[in-house]
Amino acid sequence: LWEYAFKRILEVSSLSLYDIALINATWTNFTDEYFQCKKYESQVMRRSDAKELINRARLAKSCGVLKDEVKVEIGHIGYHSCLCHENFQHPSFGYIMNLYQNFEKGFLPFTGGIMDQPAAVMELIDLISSLYAERDLAQQQKELKKSSKTKGK
Ligand SMILES: [Zn+2]
């Protein structure tokens, strides 16, 4: 199963910039509420000004529209649309997250030790691991800010 899921990625000896860009975008899409546009739209759907709100949000974020200018930048890579765009969803993202979670539990996708795993697999794990670390750091900083604010009162 693993070998099937990663066949496309393993065709290259290491991760392509394309894969990294797509994984970053898909991750951000999942972890940042700002890009969960469908969710937002269903939340405001019942409001009388729903149409206006949704249109305004879509216009501001360039949902579903590829623009000439960069709309979002992650790790020096520019994206020309809101990250909710279907072009920015990595087709193997679910498998990659599975791979990472299994690795965390001590299961390697291929027989042997860490040194026996294909380079791309370890790069994927490193990438997801750094994304988690970044997210945790951002959360900690947010909480720190919050607690220092309440202390100041
Ligand atoms: Zn959007």
Side-chain angles (χ1 to χ4, degrees), residues 105-119:
K105 287 180 207 154
F107 300 115
L108 295 170
F110 293 89
T111 47
I114 283 182
M115 298 308 287
D116 301 313
Q117 306 301 311

Side-chain angles (χ1 to χ4, degrees), residues 135-152:
R135 189 196 65 173
D136 290 347
L137 195 72
Q139 264 169 359
Q140 277 170 13
Q141 280 168 344
K142 224 180 184 178
E143 274 159 34
L144 217 67
K145 243 186 205 169
K146 233 193 255 166
S147 69
S148 71
K149 251 185 204 166
T150 46
K151 260 181 208 164

Side-chain angles (χ1 to χ4, degrees), residues 1-152:
L1 177 79
W2 290 120
E3 303 198 25
Y4 173 77
F6 292 107
K7 198 167 173 273
R8 198 182 65 79
I9 289 167
L10 295 179
E11 279 164 6
V12 286
S13 62
S14 65
L15 286 187
S16 67
L17 188 63
Y18 178 79
D19 276 315
I20 293 171
L22 266 196
I23 291 167
N24 275 337
T26 313
W27 166 271
T28 307
N29 211 322
F30 271 91
T31 54
D32 191 337
E33 260 192 10
Y34 181 83
F35 297 110
Q36 289 158 12
C37 306
K38 284 259 157 35
K39 191 175 153 196
Y40 167 77
E41 288 177 13
S42 66
Q43 276 167 353
V44 299
M45 197 108 111
R46 289 193 175 170
R47 290 176 53 155
S48 58
D49 55 349
K51 218 173 183 179
E52 202 192 315
L53 280 173
I54 291 170
N55 279 340
R56 202 190 302 152
R58 282 187 184 166
L59 210 66
K61 301 193 227 178
S62 296
C63 293
V65 190
L66 290 169
K67 294 276 185 184
D68 289 332
E69 76 264 24
V70 169
K71 295 301 290 185
V72 184
E73 200 181 310
I74 311 167
H76 304 296
I77 298 167
Y79 302 81
H80 292 256
S81 168
C82 178
L83 295 183
C84 72
H85 201 286
E86 58 181 5
N87 286 9
F88 298 147
Q89 319 308 316
H90 196 289
S92 306
F93 190 73
Y95 291 112
I96 295 167
M97 293 308 283
N98 247 325
L99 171 82
Y100 175 77
Q101 277 148 11
N102 279 322
F103 177 82
E104 286 288 283
K105 287 180 207 154
F107 300 115
L108 295 170
F110 293 89
T111 47
I114 283 182
M115 298 308 287
D116 301 313
Q117 306 301 311
V121 164
M122 296 316 293
E123 282 176 39
L124 277 173
I125 288 167
D126 278 347
L127 178 60
I128 301 299
S129 159
S130 67
L131 288 171
Y132 268 112
E134 246 171 58
R135 189 196 65 173
D136 290 347
L137 195 72
Q139 264 169 359
Q140 277 170 13
Q141 280 168 344
K142 224 180 184 178
E143 274 159 34
L144 217 67
K145 243 186 205 169
K146 233 193 255 166
S147 69
S148 71
K149 251 185 204 166
T150 46
K151 260 181 208 164

